[in-house]
Amino acid sequence: MSPPRRRKDGSLKHVCLKLLHEYIGSNDAEVHLNEFSMRMGVERRRIYDIVNILEGFDVFSKKAKNVYVWRGLDGFLIKLHMLESFDVEDRRALKLFKFEKTPVLSKKKSLTYLSIRFLKNFCAQRDALGFKAMIKRFTLELNEKKCSGEAVDDKNVVRRLYDIVNVFKALGLITKQLTVSGKSDFYWQGSAGMVAQLDAINRQLETICVETEVAKVENVEASEVFGELSKKENVRGAELELRTSGFRVVKGGPLFDSEKFKLAVFQQSCKS
């Protein structure tokens, strides 16, 4: 019986991080939402929420029903740099994203457009903001425009803003810190925070790849890896000695080189 899933495992931030880890280096990869939601153990609508938010920034594009293409984050990062160089009014006038250039009149894309507006509203925010202050400021801006002549549904906006903030936290755009009073303040980190987050994810992925490669070597019989050297009884011991003495790659260390690894084992065995 599998252990119960923790609440945070199903949070939008956690699921978005899983998605980033899986597709960050796979531009133009197809993402099948049904399959991904099953693997994550999360409702498909939650995956849709993440995709709808990121689709607004041209990170995803729709290919077919329940199938999207991951376009990568490089283009979004470039456009974010541009937005950060303008003031609020100029940012609102800019049309950098596909959904701005070719508007889609559908309620299904309301989260997509909210995400774009939220980004433009806060992408140069310098001061910390509590969530309530963020909601108040954003809903006032929305109600000034009044989409299609109707007032904004504040309750729906609050729920949607919470989703957007969680995805932005996964991207490193926003960080949350507890105040002395125990309340949470949000800080806009912008493109610099996103670059730092993506670098951290890439380092984690490199570490995982390295550990996988090392595990493969450890699990293969000496005769398969070292050929004639398998006749020497001390080869396995030398391998273990190298691993325990710091040869195994850790986070931030050098990339794993299987040939270098084999050579080091050979040299170590010859010393014995």
Side-chain angles (χ1 to χ4, degrees):
M1 185 176 180
S2 59
R5 186 161 56 88
R6 295 172 298 175
R7 183 178 178 181
K8 74 172 185 178
D9 290 345
S11 72
L12 226 57
K13 176 186 174 184
H14 183 84
V15 177
C16 186
L17 281 171
K18 287 284 188 182
L19 191 148
L20 291 176
H21 275 79
E22 186 152 342
Y23 294 103
I24 195 169
S26 307
N27 287 7
D28 298 326
E30 289 187 5
V31 183
H32 296 259
L33 303 191
N34 288 337
E35 185 267 340
F36 188 78
S37 67
M38 286 180 65
R39 281 195 289 112
M40 292 296 102
V42 180
E43 292 178 87
R44 191 178 64 188
R45 69 178 181 84
R46 304 304 285 157
I47 308 296
Y48 260 116
D49 288 341
I50 296 171
V51 169
N52 279 328
I53 291 169
L54 296 179
E55 191 180 14
F57 308 122
D58 303 328
V59 176
F60 278 109
S61 62
K62 188 171 184 178
K63 181 176 182 180
K65 185 178 180 181
N66 298 327
V67 180
Y68 284 77
V69 177
W70 171 266
R71 299 300 184 187
L73 293 162
D74 292 345
F76 175 36
L77 197 53
I78 292 170
K79 292 170 185 176
L80 179 58
H81 273 298
M82 292 177 63
L83 287 173
E84 288 173 336
S85 65
F86 292 91
D87 60 31
V88 177
E89 293 304 319
D90 289 337
R91 285 200 301 270
R92 289 174 182 170
L94 283 174
K95 293 184 178 181
L96 297 177
F97 304 109
K98 175 185 173 182
F99 277 86
E100 294 180 300
K101 297 174 182 176
T102 311
V104 178
L105 301 176
S106 171
K107 289 184 178 180
K108 292 181 179 180
K109 293 303 176 187
S110 61
L111 180 57
T112 300
Y113 284 106
L114 274 178
S115 302
I116 295 172
R117 286 176 175 173
F118 183 88
L119 179 76
K120 288 188 171 184
N121 203 305
F122 293 102
C123 77
Q125 177 69 30
R126 294 290 178 264
D127 302 322
L129 279 178
F131 192 65
K132 288 184 178 179
M134 195 182 297
I135 292 167
K136 184 177 180 181
R137 174 172 152 182
F138 191 62
T139 51
L140 281 174
E141 186 266 329
L142 287 180
N143 275 307
E144 284 176 3
K145 294 195 173 184
K146 292 189 176 181
C147 181
S148 301
E150 297 179 5
V152 176
D153 180 354
D154 287 351
K155 289 184 179 179
N156 185 55
V157 168
V158 171
R159 181 171 63 85
R160 287 316 202 176
L161 276 185
Y162 190 75
D163 292 339
I164 294 168
V165 166
N166 272 306
V167 170
F168 279 20
K169 282 162 62 181
L171 291 170
L173 295 172
I174 289 176
T175 55
K176 182 174 73 172
Q177 295 181 19
L178 288 177
T179 64
V180 178
S181 62
K183 295 182 179 180
S184 297
D185 274 346
F186 292 88
Y187 293 83
W188 180 261
Q189 303 298 337
S191 57
M194 185 172 167
V195 168
Q197 177 75 323
L198 297 182
D199 284 345
I201 291 173
N202 279 319
R203 286 197 300 272
Q204 290 169 9
L205 291 174
E206 287 176 359
T207 301
I208 291 170
C209 289
V210 165
E211 291 180 346
T212 300
E213 289 297 319
V214 173
K216 287 179 181 178
V217 173
E218 291 174 353
N219 291 330
V220 174
E221 291 295 327
S223 59
E224 297 178 30
V225 179
F226 303 110
E228 292 301 317
L229 290 177
S230 63
K231 296 176 182 178
K232 295 189 177 183
E233 296 180 357
N234 58 1
V235 168
R236 192 66 179 175
E239 178 189 341
L240 292 174
E241 183 181 338
L242 283 169
R243 180 164 57 84
T244 55
S245 64
F247 187 84
R248 188 169 187 174
V249 180
V250 295
K251 184 175 180 180
L255 290 177
F256 177 77
D257 186 327
S258 59
E259 293 303 320
K260 189 175 180 180
F261 182 84
K262 295 174 190 176
L263 177 61
V265 172
F266 170 71
Q267 291 172 340
Q268 184 74 13
S269 65
C270 291
K271 291 178 184 178
S272 303

